[in-house]
Amino acid sequence: MQRKSFDTMQCPIARSLERVGEWWSILILRDCFQGLTRFDEFEKSLGIAPNMLTRRLNNLIEAGLLDRRQYRERPPRFEYVLTDRARDFQPVLVALLVWGNKHFAPEGASVVIVNRETGERADPILVDRASGLPLSDPIFTTTAGPAADAEIRGRYCPTGPEEMSPD
Amino acid sequence: MQRKSFDTMQCPIARSLERVGEWWSILILRDCFQGLTRFDEFEKSLGIAPNMLTRRLNNLIEAGLLDRRQYRERPPRFEYVLTDRARDFQPVLVALLVWGNKHFAPEGASVVIVNRETGERADPILVDRASGLPLSDPIFTTTAGPAADAEIRGRYCPTGPEEMSPD
DNA sequence: CTCAGTTGCTTTCATCATGAAAGCGATATA
DNA sequence: TATATCGCTTTCATGATGAAAGCAACTGAG
């Protein structure tokens, strides 16, 4: 039974998940950020079945997140490298790491982000670039943007001048 | 064939994904952040099969991300509300939204975060709380933390004093 | 030279996940 | 009374999944 696609949704979160939301995909990207490039490296790091790894790598290539680069002719051998688009995924990984360290690490932080020069541990926080205010501030709200379709507008303006049922 | 658990991994990202990494789970959390609480609301919003929704809701409850609250006795009826742990997931959602708007929205931003008072659109960025430096700065690096086990240490210090093979 | 090991996949197979659809019990409304 | 709605549960056929075997090509040791 094929998984239902999120691609019919306009929500940007849904669109992101359409490309990275399968089991294993985000962990593969994590490993790419760690510098792994080869099939056997991913396989060893993740303990993933080869057929699943092949499948996920191909989907990430299809999504424009990985490039496949031949590093050997005989036999043909490829490595997998992050695209610029994938590099912009880093904040998601950082946010997952912070959340995991806070809530699912009773033994303490096993992975941290540090300042190379001072050795100090970083404490990541999401802020608004212009005002410097943390995004957790109640002053911020999520709403329909300029390109929103009827469904998204209905979602975020349910009591607006035109009552729309989400569909 | 049961999906392979990430719970044997110490990586905080893997631990986060163990709890939210199934198809639909993050979108359910998105909807909870939007104020949806009832079964039929999620069902309508997502277009998800009822048996899958039940399953995912139960897994999110099990993971301590949702609480089930009875709002009616006859028949027994429940709504689903975010726990504090789940509220801390917001930065992940924001990061996914920003990434999706940038890379997968040729028509422009359909969902945005705005300042309620000024109406100005927020531009989220991940910074280090202490120094204010963006996490994308090359000065930052990811490394093994104080609670790291041998596998994680091998992952992040492959050329350290003790060469360890990741396992 | 042969043989064994390694790499990077592909193929096979049995089991579980998945979504569509029907079903159920309880309630509310006409 | 009948019909609609809600919140699930059950059924069923199809695709995903992981374990394991397989394959071709290479490398290195004896």
Side-chain angles (χ1 to χ4, degrees):
Chain A
M1 185 91 261
Q2 210 157 354
R3 211 167 274 140
K4 192 160 188 170
S5 172
F6 297 151
D7 238 355
T8 54
M9 305 178 186
Q10 201 190 19
C11 171
I13 294 172
R15 288 186 178 173
S16 297
L17 292 173
E18 179 68 21
R19 290 147 178 97
V20 301
E22 290 181 310
W23 198 254
W24 294 116
S25 298
I26 294 178
L27 282 186
I28 292 171
L29 290 176
R30 174 205 65 180
D31 280 0
C32 293
F33 273 91
Q34 272 171 35
L36 276 57
T37 57
R38 295 183 179 190
F39 196 93
D40 73 315
E41 288 179 324
F42 295 119
E43 196 182 350
K44 278 212 231 42
S45 163
L46 298 164
I48 183 173
N51 59 337
M52 292 316 303
L53 180 54
T54 301
R55 199 175 180 153
R56 291 291 183 273
L57 287 171
N58 287 339
N59 286 349
L60 290 169
I61 288 161
E62 181 79 26
L65 302 180
L66 293 186
D67 278 329
R68 204 165 177 245
R69 199 161 61 182
Q70 190 161 9
Y71 68 90
R72 184 181 230 183
E73 282 246 348
R74 301 213 22 230
R77 289 285 182 250
F78 303 92
E79 54 189 9
Y80 301 86
V81 298
L82 292 168
T83 62
D84 286 343
R85 171 182 283 183
R87 291 202 173 282
D88 282 345
F89 189 71
Q90 195 210 21
V92 178
L93 288 174
V94 172
L96 283 167
L97 183 149
V98 169
W99 191 60
N101 269 338
K102 182 173 176 185
H103 291 285
F104 308 115
E107 77 274 33
S110 56
V111 181
V112 292
I113 298 174
V114 295
N115 182 318
R116 289 179 208 266
E117 291 179 1
T118 65
E120 299 228 329
R121 182 169 163 186
D123 179 14
I125 177 172
L126 213 40
V127 300
D128 171 33
R129 201 187 298 262
S131 63
L133 286 175
L135 261 289
S136 53
D137 195 305
I139 203 173
F140 293 112
T141 187
T142 310
T143 190
D149 64 14
E151 198 267 330
I152 296 279
R153 289 202 302 274
R155 207 178 262 278
Y156 287 104
C157 314
T159 56
E162 279 181 45
E163 185 115 0
M164 297 182 174
S165 53
D167 70 87
Chain B
M1 185 91 261
Q2 208 154 358
R3 210 169 273 140
K4 191 160 189 174
S5 174
F6 297 151
D7 238 355
T8 56
M9 305 178 187
Q10 201 191 19
C11 171
I13 294 172
R15 288 185 177 175
S16 296
L17 292 172
E18 180 67 22
R19 290 143 179 98
V20 300
E22 290 182 310
W23 199 254
W24 294 117
S25 296
I26 294 179
L27 283 187
I28 292 170
L29 289 176
R30 174 204 65 179
D31 281 0
C32 291
F33 272 91
Q34 271 170 34
L36 277 56
T37 57
R38 294 182 180 190
F39 196 93
D40 73 315
E41 288 179 323
F42 295 120
E43 196 182 348
K44 279 214 231 39
S45 162
L46 297 166
I48 184 174
N51 60 336
M52 292 316 304
L53 180 55
T54 300
R55 200 174 176 152
R56 291 291 182 274
L57 288 172
N58 287 338
N59 286 348
L60 291 170
I61 288 161
E62 181 77 25
L65 302 180
L66 293 185
D67 277 330
R68 205 166 179 244
R69 199 162 60 183
Q70 190 161 12
Y71 69 88
R72 185 181 230 181
E73 282 246 349
R74 300 213 22 228
R77 290 283 183 251
F78 302 92
E79 54 189 10
Y80 301 86
V81 298
L82 291 169
T83 62
D84 286 343
R85 170 182 283 182
R87 288 200 177 283
D88 282 346
F89 189 71
Q90 195 211 22
V92 179
L93 289 173
V94 172
L96 282 167
L97 183 149
V98 169
W99 191 60
N101 271 337
K102 182 173 178 184
H103 290 285
F104 309 116
E107 75 274 32
S110 55
V111 181
V112 292
I113 299 173
V114 294
N115 182 317
R116 288 179 208 266
E117 291 180 0
T118 65
E120 299 230 328
R121 180 167 165 190
D123 179 14
I125 177 173
L126 212 40
V127 299
D128 171 33
R129 200 186 298 262
S131 63
L133 285 176
L135 262 288
S136 53
D137 194 303
I139 203 173
F140 292 112
T141 186
T142 309
T143 191
D149 63 12
E151 198 266 331
I152 297 280
R153 288 201 305 274
R155 208 179 258 280
Y156 287 103
C157 314
T159 55
E162 278 181 47
E163 185 116 2
M164 294 180 176
S165 52
D167 71 272

